[in-house]
Amino acid sequence: MNLILISPEECVGGRCVLRDARADHLRTVLRVVAGDRFLAGVVDGPIGTATVREVSADAVAFTFAPEREGPPPWYDLVLALTRPRSLRRILFQSATMGVRDLFLVGAEKVEKSYFQMHLLRPEEYRPVLIDGLMQGKSTAMPRVRLIPKLRDLWAALPEVGTRLIADPAPNVGAPALGPGAPIIAIGPDGGWTDAERAAFAAHGFAPVSLGPRPLRTDTAAVALPAVVGHCLHTTGHR
């Protein structure tokens, strides 16, 4: 854990108590004692310094002093819903990398039963997102939106932001990035159908390639945002 993330209700007047895996990490990995300091943040709030008040067998008590805002999320991800094991990895990595909105959509090659998985319950995916945020030293909680029918996606998307869709075609050039948070679309392991690709194109999505080799969904969902993020960084847009 690079950042201990706490929810607002866990602190009253700047005094906080943890009794879960975060407390175990503080005790057994960081080996904190009274007076020690560590980096902490509040979900959807600031980052600051925590000062340990007391360490017991089942809890760590500390004060929290906010200092600065956490890094803002910078991209949206449209993801053809994948199997639970892959989705868990994508949730974690996307939160770490700074996703803002995660649109989980249906497609011709997406199993309809996937939309019934337990991981899509907020109480199941929220801890995964929190772990990802702590890895990336961020506090902005991603928003997860379920869209079983692809035709319902277009009205849900932000109006501003470069729209990109992963395409393994070797002749696809580098993306031209404009203002706003980019919107990156990743298809299922079997790929989008021709009709689905045409629908994305009709709604302004430009193809972008990571090379001629087809990638698994959970690989592309990390690799393409990394490439886009690098482009934004080098052009000064991020």
Side-chain angles (χ1 to χ4, degrees):
M1 296 180 186
N2 296 320
L3 171 79
I4 299 298
L5 196 58
I6 53 181
S7 58
E9 60 269 19
E10 290 175 317
C11 290
V12 178
R15 298 170 74 88
C16 319
V17 179
L18 298 179
R19 292 187 173 87
D20 56 10
R22 294 165 297 173
D24 293 339
H25 180 82
L26 290 169
R27 285 195 307 267
T28 62
V29 178
L30 298 183
R31 299 184 179 183
V32 299
V33 296
D36 284 350
R37 296 182 177 183
F38 59 89
L39 189 67
V42 178
V43 173
D44 288 327
I47 291 175
T49 298
T51 303
V52 179
R53 294 191 295 114
E54 182 182 359
V55 179
S56 64
D58 65 345
V60 175
F62 55 91
T63 58
F64 174 72
E67 296 171 353
R68 64 185 187 277
E69 293 301 313
W74 63 272
Y75 75 102
D76 296 329
L77 181 63
V78 174
L79 180 73
L81 187 58
T82 186
R83 59 183 61 87
R85 182 177 297 180
S86 295
L87 179 60
R88 185 176 295 274
R89 289 195 292 265
I90 293 170
L91 289 169
F92 177 90
Q93 298 286 8
S94 298
T96 298
M97 296 179 71
V99 74
R100 180 180 62 179
D101 284 300
L102 178 55
F103 300 91
L104 301 178
V105 302
E108 183 68 27
K109 298 178 183 177
V110 168
E111 292 287 344
K112 303 301 184 288
S113 61
Y114 286 173
F115 280 93
Q116 306 303 317
M117 71 175 78
H118 290 176
L119 186 55
L120 295 183
R121 299 172 181 174
E123 65 271 20
E124 295 291 334
Y125 66 68
R126 184 179 171 87
V128 182
L129 295 175
I130 287 177
D131 284 347
L133 292 175
M134 291 194 292
Q135 172 66 32
K137 293 185 178 180
S138 182
T139 63
M141 180 65 68
R143 296 183 291 262
V144 177
R145 304 183 64 177
L146 303 180
I147 303 180
K149 296 185 181 300
L150 187 61
R151 65 172 179 264
D152 296 328
L153 170 66
W154 321 121
L157 293 175
E159 294 185 1
V160 178
T162 304
R163 298 183 175 189
L164 303 170
I165 183 170
D167 191 326
N171 60 345
V172 175
L177 300 173
I183 307 168
I184 300 169
I186 305 293
D189 286 335
W192 303 107
T193 65
D194 290 343
E196 289 166 344
R197 284 194 293 270
F200 275 101
H203 288 88
F205 279 81
V208 59
S209 178
L210 291 169
R213 296 177 177 86
L215 303 177
R216 288 191 350 178
T217 299
D218 55 353
T219 302
V222 174
L224 186 52
V227 169
V228 174
H230 174 72
C231 292
L232 288 173
H233 180 75
T234 55
T235 57
H237 290 153
R238 177 182 167 201

